[in-house]
Every structure is written in C-alpha cells, then in structure tokens.
C-alpha cells in the first residue's frame, strides 16, 4: 500500500535531518532602516548654555547711581595664581603649578568662604587677558557648584596693585 | 562550522546561505546604543565646525538666539566673517567698529520680544579672554544685555 505524501512529510526522522532555517531578511531590512533613522536623530555631544551677568558699567543699561556698589566675592584668575578677593582684601591665594590651575583647592576654599559669610549667592569671576576661555568656564562651574547661583564675569587688570 | 559545511549547499546544487547571526548581533547592539542616544527634540543649536567648545557641567538646554562665533582666527555673526582676531588683539580700543555695526543691524532685525537682546556666544576653548572681553563689550554697546555661552555638556 502506498503511503500518502502527507504522512511522508511529517516523518520525524526527516524533520530532524533538515534543520529549520529562519528567514531573517525582513528583520535585517527593518534594522537597516531603523539604524539609518536613529543615526540621523542621535545626539552624540550634548550641548548646554552657561549664563552669566556682566558688570553694571559694561552693560548697555548703565549704572547711573552715585552710590558705590557693595563689594562682591570675586575669583581672580591670573597667569600665576587664583585669588579669592573681597573688595581690596585678598582672602586666598592659590598658586598655579606647572600650568595646572588649582581648581580643586578653589572649590574647597569657596565652600569655606560661602559658609563664613552670606554673599547672597553672588560671585564674580574676573580674569586677566591671557587666560583661556575654557579655564574661565571651568571657574564659573566651580562657583556654581559651590552654591553661588549668580555668577558674573569681569576683567581683571594684570597688576592689581597699580591703582593703589 | 567546518569549511566543508559552507560549500555543502552549493555542492548539492542548493543556494548558498551566509551565516547572518553575528551580523544580527551587531545590529541589535547598534540599535540599543542608538536608541540610548536618541533625542526627539534634536539639537536646536548647531555648533560651528571650526571651533572647539569648552566643557562644562551646566545643564540648561540651548535656545536659538542671535549667534556669534569666535573661532581661533575670526569672529563671525550669522556665518559672516566680521573681523579677524588679529585685528581685535592689535586694537587698543575695547569697541570693535565692524562688529558694532553688524550687531546693531542684528539687533534691529530681531523683532521677537522673547529673544531681543539675547546673544548666544560660541567661543573656541583656547581663545584668550582679551578677545572675548572686547567682543562682549562691543555687543553690550550694540544693545545686547543677556549673554549666554554655548558649551559641551560634561559626561
């Protein structure tokens, strides 16, 4: 008696012999389309903005009041040192060694200074002309991390004692 | 897989099927990586290619304001070269006339009350403060009073 072909196809020995192969071509097609789309929408470098204020006499809205403004805590970035200044008084001086600015020490000192007195969260970063922009941005970051929310940017003279 | 197995199908007169498993693995990993860095908003501000932005831990998202680029060689406003850094450095005056004229025009052009007077500065990280200072001073004299600096967010 001849067997029906239906039973022949379901014989277990033959099913094991021929491995079942998944057709992954449509999956690959979807992957390729998805990868192209995601690459176009991916952000590899996240951007942000740093906000700061300028001194009132530089701003377009000029400071017209005759009163002398209250001195603010200032971080002075010089070629050879970082100074923490209040008015005319130099509170801290952190020397630059081998062109490496002591930003860790600055963070520690700012923490101490912010606990000593209430500066209303205001600080000014004053830099001399030769200092590169990345160091100024880094100093502003440290000020913000030390609890000073309002960071101002100003320029410092190369010779701070010249006016005295 | 033995090398002989690769040719098994061909020898039998069938179709050669390459092994796609490793390719699928790579695709899945790539997909996960790209989904992780996916952003619906995208970057509203495109950083200039000819400058390297400073790194900061600031988290505020950038907004499209009037753009000013300070590259290592020149200052550009809306991708138009306005003045060279050499000229700015050589000048004794804080005010840069070419830039002042350009920024005045930019200020007059902008009628949006939300972004009027706001300036987004993209400055190279190695630029000395002397250049940045003069640019900012000139811009403030031209009527810009709210300055923001574009930075690369720290990982």
């Amino acid at each position: 008696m001849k067997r029906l072909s239906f039973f022949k196809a379901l014989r277990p020995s033959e099913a094991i012999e021929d491995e079942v192969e998944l057709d992954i071509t449509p999956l690959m097609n979807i992957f390729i389309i998805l990868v192209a789309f995601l690459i176009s929408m991916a952000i590899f470098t996240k951007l942000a903005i740093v906000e700061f204020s300028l001194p009132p006499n530089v701003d377009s809205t000029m400071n017209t009041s005759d009163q002398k403004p209250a001195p603010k805590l200032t971080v002075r970035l010089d070629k050879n040192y970082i100074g923490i200044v209040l008015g005319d008084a130099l509170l801290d001086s952190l020397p630059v060694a081998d062109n490496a600015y002591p930003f860790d020490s600055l963070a520690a000192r700012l923490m101490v200074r912010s606990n000593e007195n209430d500066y209303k969260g205001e600080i000014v970063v004053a830099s001399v002309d030769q200092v590169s922009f990345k160091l100024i941005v880094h100093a502003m970051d440290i000020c913000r991390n030390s609890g000073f929310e309002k960071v101002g940017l100003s320029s410092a003279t190369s010779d701070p004692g010249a006016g005295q | 897989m033995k090398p002989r197995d690769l040719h098994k199908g061909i020898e039998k007169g069938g179709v050669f099927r390459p092994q796609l498993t490793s390719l699928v693995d790579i695709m899945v990993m790539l997909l996960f990586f790209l989904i992780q860095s996916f952003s619906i908003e995208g970057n509203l501000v495109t950083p200039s290619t000819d400058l390297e932005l400073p790194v900061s831990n600031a988290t505020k998202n950038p907004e499209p304001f009037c753009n000013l680029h300070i590259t290592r060689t020149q200052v550009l406003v809306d991708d138009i070269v306005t003045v060279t850094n050499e000229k700015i450095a050589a000048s004794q005056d804080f005010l840069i006339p070419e830039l002042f004229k350009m920024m005045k025009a930019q200020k007059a052009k902008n009628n949006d009350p939300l972004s009027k007077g706001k300036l987004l500065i993209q400055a190279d990280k190695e630029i000395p403060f002397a250049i940045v200072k003069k640019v900012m001073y000139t811009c403030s004299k031209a009527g810009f009073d709210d300055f923001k600096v574009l930075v690369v967010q720290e990982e």
Side-chain angles (χ1 to χ4, degrees), chain B residues 87-143:
Chain B
K87 197 171 176 184
I88 297 172
S91 167
Q92 292 294 315
D93 199 3
F94 268 42
L95 196 92
I96 311 155
E98 300 93 331
L99 186 63
F100 180 74
K101 203 175 151 188
M102 193 76 175
M103 293 314 289
K104 269 272 186 202
Q106 287 289 325
K107 179 91 197 289
K109 211 165 70 176
N110 189 1
N111 294 319
D112 182 11
L114 288 172
S115 63
K116 209 172 177 102
K118 291 180 180 176
L119 182 68
L120 184 67
I121 298 173
Q122 297 186 31
D124 190 279
K125 63 180 188 178
E126 297 297 342
I127 284 290
F129 185 60
I131 304 283
V132 181
K133 181 175 76 176
K134 286 179 184 176
V135 168
M136 281 183 187
Y137 179 83
T138 307
C139 293
S140 72
K141 290 292 168 205

Side-chain angles (χ1 to χ4, degrees), chain A residues 13 23 25 28 38 62 66 70 93-94 97-98 138 143:
Chain A
S13 57
D23 187 11
T25 322
M28 290 301 293
L38 288 170
M62 292 280 279
D66 293 332
S93 178
L94 311 163
D98 301 326
H138 194 49
C143 293

Side-chain angles (χ1 to χ4, degrees), chain A residues 21 46 51 129 141 145, chain B residues 17 56-57 133 148 153:
Chain A
E21 278 189 36
K46 276 192 174 177
E51 289 178 307
D129 288 354
D141 280 350
N145 294 343
Chain B
R17 286 179 182 278
S56 166
N57 57 17
K133 181 175 76 176
K148 290 155 205 312
Q153 219 177 81

